[in-house]
Amino acid sequence: MAADGLRPVALVVGAGDATGGAIARRFARGGCTVCATRRSVDKLQPLLEQIRAEGGEAHGFACDARNEDEVAALYDDIEARIGPIEAMVFNIGANVPSSILEETARKYFKIWEMACFAGFLNARKAARCMAPRGKGTILFTGATASLRGSANFAAFAGAKHALRALAQSMARELGPRGIHVAHVVIDGAIDTEFIRENFPERYALKDQDGILNPEHIAENYWMLHLQPRDAWTHELDLRPWIEKF
């Protein structure tokens, strides 16, 4: 509990059915009031119901994370009605492969908006909320594409590289102001319906712990949030033991 008796608020932007949802549940189990966003609030209902059934407090919001006005209104609403945001996790994906020969300007720009520009809008607003209080945690979900651009992933890699640079710059500026900024590189396939349906051979490695469990990913986000400021991690790589890197 916070000093005023209220639960600390954790905002998960992009609380999907796998990693984002697991992160939201972990922060709720840790005693946070969870605020979760997706483009459609209806898709959040199973997650919210699960958190509440486990004794947690959760609120769902529909928000286009690429829209500056919607993002500003979201944070202002949470801070006014629910409580000060102590942790913000940016977890929007946009992993859409395409040959550079076939990539369109519209899709390239949309992927950048989702994976990078939305991260800027949310992290800037979160920092503006946290800076006067001198504390807070901002976590970004990265990917293999944050470190190297693979064939057919030019748009995604460009956006993820830029998000990583944003995280580095913010960490250097905001760390001395008491705000912990960290970037998590998810380097491997995650246990999701998408992987199961589209990459069955990779999904078969689940029995060998060969793909990432969202619950285990979430534990690392919670660990980052709890780190004492004399030993902050900025970048954390997570990959299965058999993943090549």
Side-chain angles (χ1 to χ4, degrees):
M1 292 288 183
D4 55 9
L6 296 175
R7 295 187 184 194
V9 175
L11 171 59
V12 180
V13 179
D17 297 329
T19 303
I23 292 168
R25 293 192 301 272
R26 184 63 186 89
F27 275 74
R29 289 196 303 273
C32 294
T33 293
V34 168
C35 295
T37 80
R38 291 184 73 165
R39 288 289 298 274
S40 170
V41 74
D42 291 341
K43 293 182 178 180
L44 285 169
Q45 293 312 308
L47 172 63
L48 302 178
E49 291 171 7
Q50 183 178 3
I51 290 173
R52 292 164 185 160
E54 295 173 353
E57 182 178 349
H59 305 267
F61 300 85
C63 181
D64 183 348
R66 304 167 298 169
N67 184 294
E68 185 174 10
D69 292 338
E70 286 192 30
V71 169
L74 169 70
Y75 284 74
D76 291 344
D77 183 31
I78 293 171
E79 292 261 330
R81 292 195 304 110
I82 300 173
I85 298 169
E86 293 196 12
M88 190 282 287
V89 178
F90 181 77
N91 186 63
I92 291 178
N95 186 351
V96 184
S98 176
S99 166
I100 196 65
L101 303 176
E102 300 170 357
E103 187 65 277
T104 66
R106 179 178 180 276
K107 187 156 70 67
Y108 188 98
F109 184 72
K110 184 176 181 179
I111 289 170
W112 171 81
E113 278 189 312
M114 293 169 65
C116 178
F117 182 63
F120 155 71
L121 290 178
N122 280 272
R124 181 186 64 176
K125 184 61 176 177
R128 286 174 173 174
C129 293
M130 296 172 182
R133 299 190 283 265
K135 64 176 183 177
T137 304
I138 297 173
L139 304 177
F140 296 94
T141 297
T144 306
S146 304
L147 305 179
R148 62 180 184 271
S150 298
N152 301 308
F153 287 92
F156 185 58
K160 281 297 188 180
H161 271 63
L163 186 72
R164 185 184 186 217
L166 171 70
Q168 290 179 359
S169 182
M170 289 185 61
R172 292 183 171 103
E173 178 180 352
L174 298 176
R177 302 189 65 165
I179 300 172
H180 183 190
V181 180
H183 179 255
V184 183
V185 178
I186 311 296
D187 185 22
I190 302 173
D191 184 358
T192 63
E193 285 297 310
F194 176 79
I195 296 297
R196 184 177 68 83
E197 294 176 0
N198 294 278
F199 302 95
E201 293 182 0
R202 176 60 65 90
Y203 192 80
L205 297 174
K206 178 180 177 179
D207 294 338
Q208 306 174 43
D209 296 327
I211 60 176
L212 288 134
N213 183 327
E215 303 296 330
H216 298 163
I217 294 172
E219 286 293 340
N220 283 276
Y221 281 69
W222 180 243
M223 176 274 293
L224 289 170
H225 176 57
L226 294 183
Q227 281 185 327
R229 64 180 182 176
D230 67 317
W232 275 348
T233 295
H234 169 63
E235 188 158 78
L236 179 68
D237 289 19
L238 298 177
R239 65 178 60 87
W241 64 286
I242 59 175
E243 187 76 24
K244 294 180 180 180
F245 72 102

